[in-house]
Structures are given as C-alpha cells and as structure tokens.
C-alpha cells in the first residue's frame, strides 16, 4: 500500500481543564506525531432512482425520468418504449431529489432534499434551471402537484408548509404551516372539480382539504386508527375517489372524496396509482407478489393484470397510446425499483424489463466498520455495502445487498448490520462467499415497538448475543433496547428503557452493556421531555437495567461510548469526555474536548475507538482528534476534511468518511507510527501463537520491533526506521520459518512502518476511485 503524509495537522486546539481531575495535563503540539492520510476512493456506487415523472419530448416522444441519488444527484430520462437512456444531467447541491412532477406547461420540476431548491427541466435541453428556494429555512421539498392557473404547489419539511410557484412570473408564495404541530407536508393532490387540494401531513398522518383561494384548512379527514402510519407517500384523485398510499405499512386506502368513507384497503402497495384510459379502473403495483393489479372503482375490488417483476416499487408510471383511433392500444411503462425499467403491451400481453444503462453514482457513506476478516465495510445512504481490502489496497467489486445500516458490529466471523427503516437486523458471514442467504435479513424489532434506526449495536462473543439501541419511528419519542440471541435466533425488545430517549451508542464489557442516549426522538417527534442525555448499565445475566445516570450535567446526548485503554468506559457527551468506572459505578473524570451545544435533533455525532497504541481516537463536529490514553491530552489531528465516522481494521489503521459536501462518498484512512508499530507487534504475536511463525523468526522480529518502538518513543526517527527495516529484512529472508502468505503479509506491514518512520512525503491525495 502506498502511503502519503500530511504534516503539521497535529495542532492542539483545546485545553482539558474543564472538570479534569488532578494529574490531567494540558496538551501541547507533538511534532513527532507523523500521521499519514490517504483518500482510498469510493467504496459504493449504485443506481438508486428515487422520485420520477413521465413527460413528452418536443416531438411528442414519451419519456420516463427519475432522480438518481449520488454526489451530486442526477436527473435521468429514458425513452419510455425503447428504454434507452436519453439524458443524464447533474442536479447541483443535493444528493437526492425524490419529488418530481411534470407541470401543466410540459416541463419537469424537481424538488431537492437538504437544499430545498426547485429546479426545472425543459424537455430537449441539456441542463437544469434553478428556480430558487420556495421558502427560506425549509430543507426538504415534497409532494409537488399541479394546481389552478398552471401553477405548481408543494410541501416542505421541517415547517410542514405549503408553497405555490407561478411559472409565468417566477414568483413563490408561502401558505405557512398548514397543520400546527405537523412538520411534514408529504403529499398533495388538486381536485379541479372542487377547487381544493387534498394534503397529507406527518408524522401523525393527517389528511386535510386546503383551499388556495381562501387559505382555509379543513379538520383532519384521516381516521384516527391510521395515525401511526406516519404520513401519505402519494395521493391521486381518480373517478371521484382518493387513492392514498401510506408510509409505514405501504397500505393503500381508497376513500370517497366527498364522504371520506374508506371503500377499500390493501397492504404492501407501491406509491403511485395510475388511472386506466377510460377512468373506470386504477392500476396499482404490489411488490410482494410482483403483480400489477387493476382496481375496479365501481365494483370496489382488484384483479391481477400482469407480473411486473420483483421490484421494491415503481415510479414515473404512464400509459402510452400505441394503437389507432379505430383500434386503441396501450403500453404501460415505468421505472422499476432503483435501477430498471419495464414495459407491458396490453394488446400483445408482452412484458419487457431491463436495467437502466447509466453509471452507478457515488453513494454517501452512512457507517463504517472493520470486519473480522481484515476488510473494511462501508454502508451507504439508501443501502448497499461496499468493501475495501487493505491487503490489496483496492475496493472490491459489487456490493452486499443490504439496506442502509446505521450501525455495524461483529461476533466471530459474522458482521451484523442495524438496518433502517423498521429497525431490522442483517447478517453477513465473512468466512463464506456472497450468495443465497449471505447476507440476509435475520430479524426486526416488532412493529408495535415503533422503532426505525439501530444506531447502537455491539456484540458479546462469549454470550453469543447482540445488543441494539434504536431511534424510534417518525413522530415518536422513546427508543428501544433489543437483545438478539445468535443461538436461538430470538429477539427481546424493551421500549423506553430510558424513558422518552433514543439509545444511540453501546459498549460491552464483562457481562455489562453500557448505553448512551439522546433526549431527542425521531424527526417530527414532540419536544423532548428530558433535558439531559443518560448513561445506563444493562446486566446481561439478569436481563435488567441496573443503573441510569446523567454523566455530564446539562448535556443533551451521549453519542459515543467505548471501552477505554484503562478498562473504564469512555463516553462523549456533547463535547465532553467522561470516564465511568464500572467498579465504583460513578463518573470519575470529565474533560472538555471541544465547545459545542446541540441546537436540535442529534442522534449521531462522535465516533471513538481505542487505538492499538493505547490512545483514543475520535471524530466529532468534523474534527479528527486523539486523546492520550494516560494524560487525557487532546491533539487535533485534522479539521479541514470534516471527517466523520471512525473504524479500525485488524492492523490498527483508522478509516473515516469525508464530511465535505459533495465528497461524503470518499473513504479515507489514517495511520501513524504508534498505531502501525502496535498493529505489527500484535500480528507477530498472533502468527506465533497460531503456529505460523517459527520461534527463531518470531524472536528476531519481535526484538527488532521492540527496538523500533523504543527509539521512536525516544524521538530517534532514524534509529527506529533502521530497526523496522531490519525486521522487514528478517521476514524477507525467513522463508524456512514461515509460509509465503504470512511472509507477504508481515513484509507489507513492516515496509509501511519503515516508510512512516522515514517520513515519506505526500499531500494526502487520492489513490483513485
């Protein structure tokens, strides 16, 4: 592996005087700490199509479209009959744009996430036009729909507001928050006959009627029994009925638009319902059985029409006239799942499906973990798991087919993934090849626990148990603590183990689980009922919480807990390091790492790990830092790349994600001589104990490494490098005392250390994508 080095980043930024015990020393710049950084590339590229709207070209050619997630997201149009890609255009400033609509003017309008900006695509053009932000302060656009006078309407988060855009004048108008307490306007549909909108809000799943002429908003029309469905994903007005697809269960309800009587329900239906040409039926897709069904509006029942395919949903669906006035015929065309398209000729009963032929886009990294096999695993936003192999220095092709993992942990050879949404658990046996059943989803928290995001996850190998902590579903306060038994494959769930708080980080030691909490619930949840984040202790033997305390008064979220180098529990509580002594069951030290105050919902901030050199490394608020395992001094290693996440491989290298906008798909690695020397010594011991390194070579190499450490810690770089090279030469010449694979592995480690000790120059640039 080729390493590059960035010098001068090891600058002290903060003193540790706040609440420190006697003996804690202020930090000083450490010129000897030569850290090497390298951008390894993008571990995950996928075609993840979200949103979508059908449109016609200037010559009447029918198209499908979708926004493909990435850095940045892209607008992709596809010929609706040939399924050939027509345009691929970047959507600036966002990684996702799930809300798309073809306006009454024939142009495609695109609402983004994060920036809450509205774009316009004029069919036939090669670029998008930015129309600006409809409402200042809003961050997401949802539920675009056409309204009266050729105007465009949509909803927002987090204000739960509705806006109007007039293409004729370019003016925006805000109607404010439609339903007090609701943070989302997720779906809208205009009823020209009644001159009003049907608006679905969240997260308590309300349906209201909104009159844009008067600004009046009706009472909630959604039955209270459906309040836990969170919000509608889509609303269509067809044949005097409202077809509403609900988020949580993917339930479709058919409601009379006047009486609000629900006439039909069906679970597991994709968002978007398509009217038949004569308006007497509505076509819907059910991913569970892979069929498109026709709902007869008069008979109030469905019948299967054709097998669409095993996709997780459809979007941009349309019916295209392909016959003549004398012999009408239609072809259904739709974007299928994330990366395919399907057509179905009704007259010929002919089905066709194929992948969308566009390059996979870099996917933002969500979580990182070092695997028991020495490889590094990175899960992405919207799913997929990319793999980096330090032994080869390359990203491995393909991706594990798992959804977005909020947290990752290992027991033995198996990696476990805490999956969003619906708080699911996935497993991948690293000792077996990827194939049927590997990886697989193996469990999920019960639906009535109302959980979504398993951020906290830790394994206890000696118990054969995995522990999870979760953030609840939209609109909810109160996470859960779950215990998965790998032998019996059973799952026990405890809601509100810490009342009304989310459990976001876990550590395990000697039969006890240590958990950190956030006072906040999910997006759209009520205001927190607590003011301070907690640390709790769970006894695995009794299955009971035995302690709950506030580790740092006034702090709102404990975002990282680990077993520290001293055997105590180290935690990060809103900028403050605390050290909890399991023996005395009390916090024995606190030290401010950085001044920070969380201003709103926080589930994820700090990531810490105990390095093989006995120091603690961490990221928080875009800062990469080291805490001396003895003195507790803090050294800021980097604050320019806005690093987030943190994982360690079996050799002691650290891995992080860039936090710079547009670069959050980049995987970076860092090491320094302390980490590399400790990792090499550990490897030599492991090979010797496994009988893969004969005693003469073991003794020689161990002694050389011991000398290298001694000289390095004394500040004698050249002497340290000499002994590292000497160890490398011993391994190279020791063919009689070890195998070729072991010799190759150790040689690579020792050569890397020699380069680090010699201060190999570099600028931290990329290896490649």
């Amino acid at each position: 592996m080729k390493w590059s080095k960035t010098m001068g980043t090891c600058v002290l930024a903060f003193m540790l005087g706040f609440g420190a015990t006697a003996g804690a020393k202020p930090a000083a710049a450490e010129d000897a700490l030569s850290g090497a950084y390298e951008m390894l590339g993008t571990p995950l590229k996928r075609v993840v199509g979200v949103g979508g709207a059908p449109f016609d070209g200037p010559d009447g050619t029918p198209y499908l479209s979708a926004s493909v997630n990435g850095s940045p997201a892209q607008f992709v149009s596809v010929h609706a009959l040939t399924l050939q890609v027509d345009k691929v255009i970047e959507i600036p400033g966002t990684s996702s744009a799930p809300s798309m609509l073809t306006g009454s003017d024939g142009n495609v309008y695109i609402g983004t996430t994060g920036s809450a900006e509205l774009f316009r695509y004029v069919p036939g053009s090669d670029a998008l036009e930015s129309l600006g932000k409809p409402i200042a302060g809003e961050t997401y656009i949802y539920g675009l729909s056409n309204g009266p006078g050729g105007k465009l309407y949509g909803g927002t988060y987090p204000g739960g507001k509705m806006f109007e855009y007039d293409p004729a004048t370019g003016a925006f108008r805000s109607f404010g928050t439609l339903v007090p307490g609701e943070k989302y306007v997720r779906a809208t549909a205009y009823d020209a006959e009644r001159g009003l909108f049907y608006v679905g809000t969240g997260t308590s799943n309300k349906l209201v009627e909104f009159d844009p002429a008067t600004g009046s908003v009706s009472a909630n029309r959604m039955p209270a029994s459906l309040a836990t469905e969170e919000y509608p994903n889509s609303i269509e007005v067809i044949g005097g009925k409202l077809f509403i697809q609900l988020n949580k269960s993917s339930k479709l309800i058919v409601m009379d638009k006047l009486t609000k009587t629900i006439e039909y329900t069906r679970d597991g239906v994709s968002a978007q319902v398509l009217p038949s040409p004569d308006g007497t039926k509505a076509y819907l897709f059910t991913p569970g059985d892979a069929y498109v069904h026709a709902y007869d509006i008069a008979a109030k029942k469905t019948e299967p029409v054709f097998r669409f395919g095993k996709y997780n949903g459809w979007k941009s669906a349309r019916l295209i006239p392909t016959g003549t006035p004398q012999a009408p015929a239609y072809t259904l065309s739709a974007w299928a799942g994330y990366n395919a398209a399907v057509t179905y000729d009704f007259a010929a009963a002919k089905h066709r499906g194929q992948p969308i032929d566009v390059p996979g886009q870099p996917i933002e990294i969500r979580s990182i973990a070092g695997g028991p096999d020495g490889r590094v695993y990175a899960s992405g936003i919207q799913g997929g798991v990319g793999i980096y192999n330090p032994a080869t220095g390359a990203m491995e092709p393909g991706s594990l087919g798992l959804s977005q993992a909020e947290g990752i942990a290992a027991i033995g050879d198996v990696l476990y993934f805490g999956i969003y949404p619906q708080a699911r658990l996935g497993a991948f046996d690293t000792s077996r090849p990827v194939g049927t059943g590997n990886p697989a989803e193996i469990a999920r928290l019960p639906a009535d626990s109302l959980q979504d995001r398993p951020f906290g996850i830790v394994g206890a190998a000696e118990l054969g148990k995995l522990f999870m902590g979760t953030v609840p579903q939209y609109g909810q306060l109160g996470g859960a603590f779950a215990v998965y038994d790998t032998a019996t494959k059973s799952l026990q769930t405890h809601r509100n183990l810490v009342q009304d708080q989310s459990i976001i980080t876990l550590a395990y030691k000697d039969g006890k689980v240590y958990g950190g909490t956030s006072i906040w619930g999910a997006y759209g949840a009520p205001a927190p009922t607590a003011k301070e984040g907690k640390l709790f202790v769970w006894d695995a033997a009794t299955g009971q919480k035995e302690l709950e305390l506030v580790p740092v008064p006034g702090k709102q979220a404990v975002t990282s807990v680990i077993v520290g180098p001293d055997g105590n529990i180290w935690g990060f509580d809103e900028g403050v390091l605390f050290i909890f002594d399991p023996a005395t069951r009390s916090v024995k030290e606190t030290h401010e790492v950085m001044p920070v105050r969380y201003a709103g919902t926080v589930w994820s901030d700090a990531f810490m790990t105990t390095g093989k050199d006995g120091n603690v490394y961490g990221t928080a608020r875009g800062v990469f830092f080291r805490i001396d395992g003895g003195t507790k001094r803090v050294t800021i290693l980097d604050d320019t790349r806005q690093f987030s996440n943190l994982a360690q491989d079996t050799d002691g290298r650290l891995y992080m994600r860039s936090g710079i906008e547009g670069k959050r798909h980049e995987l970076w690695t860092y090491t320094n001589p302390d980490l590399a020397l400790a990792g090499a010594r550990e490897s030599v011991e492991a090979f010797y104990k496994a009988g893969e390194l004969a005693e003469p070579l073991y003794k020689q190499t161990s002694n050389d490494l011991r000398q290298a450490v001694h000289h390095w810690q004394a500040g004698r770089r050249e002497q340290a490098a000499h002994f590292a090279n000497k160890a490398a030469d011993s391994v190279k010449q020791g063919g009689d005392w070890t195998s070729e694979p072991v010799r190759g592995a150790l040689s690579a480690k020792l050569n890397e250390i020699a380069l680090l000790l010699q201060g190999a120059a570099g600028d931290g640039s990329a290896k490649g994508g």
Side-chain angles (χ1 to χ4, degrees), residues 23 25 33 82 162 203 211 260-261 266 314 354 373 388 392 422 467-468 503 564 611 624 640 657 659 721 732-733 766:
K25 300 177 182 178
L33 184 60
T82 68
M162 193 161 175
T203 57
D211 186 335
K260 305 304 183 293
T261 302
R266 181 170 188 150
W314 71 0
Q354 68 181 49
D373 56 354
Y388 172 72
T392 63
Q422 298 176 348
F467 303 95
M468 291 190 293
I503 298 174
F624 175 40
T640 61
R657 183 210 76 177
K732 183 178 179 181
Q733 297 167 11

Side-chain angles (χ1 to χ4, degrees), residues 27-98:
E30 298 182 45
D31 295 333
L33 184 60
S34 302
Y37 298 85
E38 189 168 13
M39 200 282 278
L40 301 173
T42 300
L44 193 61
K45 294 182 180 181
R46 299 178 66 209
V47 179
V48 179
V50 298
F55 67 93
D56 292 335
D59 61 355
T61 300
Y63 291 97
L64 310 175
S65 72
S67 67
V68 173
N69 285 355
S71 299
Q74 295 185 325
F75 170 80
V76 177
S77 61
V78 177
H79 192 295
L81 293 175
T82 68
L83 305 186
Q84 298 302 303
V85 173
D86 172 58
K87 302 279 187 183
V88 179
I89 304 172
E90 289 189 355
I91 309 174
T94 188
S95 60
S96 186

Side-chain angles (χ1 to χ4, degrees), residues 505-509 514 560-572 577-578 580 607-611 615-617:
T505 179
L506 298 173
Y508 173 81
K509 184 188 178 188
Y514 300 87
S560 181
V561 290
I562 62 169
V563 179
D566 56 2
N568 292 317
I569 303 303
W570 291 35
F572 188 97
L577 169 71
F578 67 85
F580 175 82
F607 296 84
M608 298 195 302
T609 189
T610 299
N615 297 308
V616 169
Y617 293 82

Side-chain angles (χ1 to χ4, degrees), residues 369-418:
D373 56 354
R375 298 184 295 178
V376 178
Y377 294 78
S379 178
I381 297 287
Q382 292 286 339
V385 179
I387 303 173
Y388 172 72
N389 191 334
T392 63
M395 301 294 176
E396 298 195 349
S399 165
L400 300 184
L402 290 168
S403 299
Q404 175 178 314
E406 308 287 31
I408 310 172
I411 298 178
D413 290 328
V414 180
L415 271 178
Y416 293 92
F417 298 81

Side-chain angles (χ1 to χ4, degrees), residues 686-700:
F687 284 134
Y688 174 64
K689 290 178 180 178
E692 298 183 74
L693 201 64
E695 190 160 352
L697 183 55
Y698 163 69
K699 285 185 175 180
Q700 181 63 53

